[in-house]
Amino acid sequence: MRPQKPADSAPLAKDTIQAALRTDILGRALIEVHESIGSTNQRARSLALGDAGEGTLVLAERQTAGRGRLDRVWHSPPGLNLYLSLILRPDLPPARAALLTLAASLALASAVSDVTGLTPDIKWPNDLLLNGRKMSGILSEMELSGSNVAFVILGVGINVNLSLADLPEDLAETVGSLAIASGRTWDRTEALAAFLTRMEEYYLALKAGRVEEILQAYRASCVTLNSRVEYIHKGVRIQGRAIDVNSAGELVVRRADNNQLVTINAGDVSLMKK
Ligand code: BTN
């Protein structure tokens, strides 16, 4: 008899995913699992423009044009990780819907802890770090219809079973995964189901207006807060201390050079050594 493949390396399959789901909305409208695709965000966007329902889930074993924030590439090798996009149609003002990415980082951190017992740090706005290595990223793209939100594509990359040997040289020092942090592999379907469960909890909390609760939980897990940070503004390197994440999800920094408070809503912020 041929040995059974361990669950960890089993391909993602729609029926196994459906059986593992504990959600009412996310993953319930439509699930697509692609062997290979350019970008799951791109595919979810075209489905959303064609009226696909809230909670539609697009997954891929591999992306050939995986996209990150700030026009970066998302390294998406086959069969190891989770690359997924959700279609959300929140009846929320755009400013409130912008908090979805913070909620998604919290959901992901909770799911990682549920499944593995590890506690990732959240680096503002939405990177998860294990032992200082980035193990996931979130790319959320909002489509407006006038001044309302038509839909949000919540794209999430989670490095699950990626090993150091799978990383190109330029990522070898900075990128991590659940496997790299724990020394063992994990069941991707279980990780996915845990994320969707937590994400649905936070999504419903946001829709119910429980914003302060989400912000408080976020502030408690965000390693950027109270750290010395550096960011580039108009080509100039600015240093300061991150003192808050405000109700719009922006980072509030006290500049070291002039003591002024500035809010940062995009871009890249690096943590400086303590
Ligand atoms: C980041 O730069 O940190 C965000 C990375 C987001 C990657 C995910 S993988 C699934 C989805 N499809 C994409 O092309 N990007 C997102």
Side-chain angles (χ1 to χ4, degrees):
M1 218 169 73
R2 275 196 310 162
Q4 288 239 307
K5 274 188 157 199
D8 309 347
S9 61
L12 295 168
K14 194 171 158 175
D15 51 350
T16 322
I17 292 168
Q18 272 162 339
L21 287 183
R22 300 178 293 276
T23 50
D24 292 323
I25 307 167
L26 305 185
R28 292 300 184 187
L30 167 72
I31 300 181
E32 281 189 0
V33 182
H34 297 266
E35 193 54 41
S36 177
I37 201 167
S39 153
T40 56
N41 264 35
Q42 210 173 28
R43 171 65 186 154
R45 185 182 149 75
S46 39
L47 287 171
L49 290 170
D51 285 340
E54 156 127 310
T56 292
L57 172 64
V58 179
L59 283 152
E61 286 287 5
R62 151 180 196 254
Q63 296 183 118
T64 53
R67 291 185 282 126
R69 291 174 62 240
L70 310 172
D71 282 333
R72 292 183 181 139
V73 168
W74 187 254
H75 182 58
S76 311
L80 298 169
N81 300 324
L82 287 166
Y83 316 113
L84 66 111
S85 299
L86 284 164
I87 298 177
L88 302 176
R89 298 184 179 278
D91 186 13
L92 291 173
R96 179 87 19 120
L99 295 177
L100 267 170
T101 45
L102 300 194
S105 347
L106 274 173
L108 202 43
S110 305
V112 166
S113 161
D114 293 342
V115 173
T116 67
L118 300 168
T119 308
D121 290 323
I122 300 178
K123 176 176 168 277
W124 182 88
N126 46 35
D127 293 347
L128 255 60
L129 309 180
L130 281 170
N131 304 326
R133 288 175 173 269
K134 175 163 165 166
M135 55 133 302
S136 72
I138 296 166
L139 179 66
S140 131
E141 299 178 295
M142 194 186 300
E143 180 85 8
L144 296 178
S145 157
S147 54
N148 297 320
V149 176
F151 59 82
V152 174
I153 305 299
L154 188 69
V156 184
I158 311 172
N159 291 343
V160 180
N161 292 326
L162 183 90
S163 70
L164 289 176
D166 301 311
L167 286 170
E169 211 175 307
D170 57 325
L171 301 179
E173 300 292 317
T174 52
V175 169
S177 71
L178 298 183
I180 292 169
S182 63
R184 54 156 286 188
T185 55
W186 298 91
D187 184 328
R188 288 182 297 161
T189 302
E190 198 190 323
L192 170 68
F195 168 64
L196 295 177
T197 299
R198 291 295 193 168
M199 186 63 223
E200 189 161 293
E201 284 170 15
Y202 280 107
Y203 185 45
L204 294 176
L206 189 63
K207 294 216 289 186
R210 287 157 44 204
V211 173
E212 203 40 50
E213 194 184 307
I214 294 172
L215 283 168
Q216 269 183 26
Y218 183 87
R219 289 179 188 120
S221 307
C222 178
V223 280
T224 314
L225 269 188
N226 301 315
S227 297
R228 289 203 302 136
V229 295
E230 193 171 79
Y231 62 96
I232 308 283
H233 179 65
K234 294 187 179 160
V236 180
R237 194 176 295 273
I238 312 269
Q239 295 185 352
R241 184 166 293 276
I243 60 162
D244 197 14
V245 174
N246 67 19
S247 57
E250 298 163 330
L251 190 68
V252 183
V253 174
R254 185 177 295 286
R255 284 178 62 152
D257 54 350
N258 60 14
N259 236 14
Q260 274 185 356
L261 290 183
V262 287
T263 51
I264 306 174
N265 58 19
D268 225 1
V269 171
S270 349
L271 294 174
M272 295 171 67
K273 293 231 158 55
K274 299 250 176 202

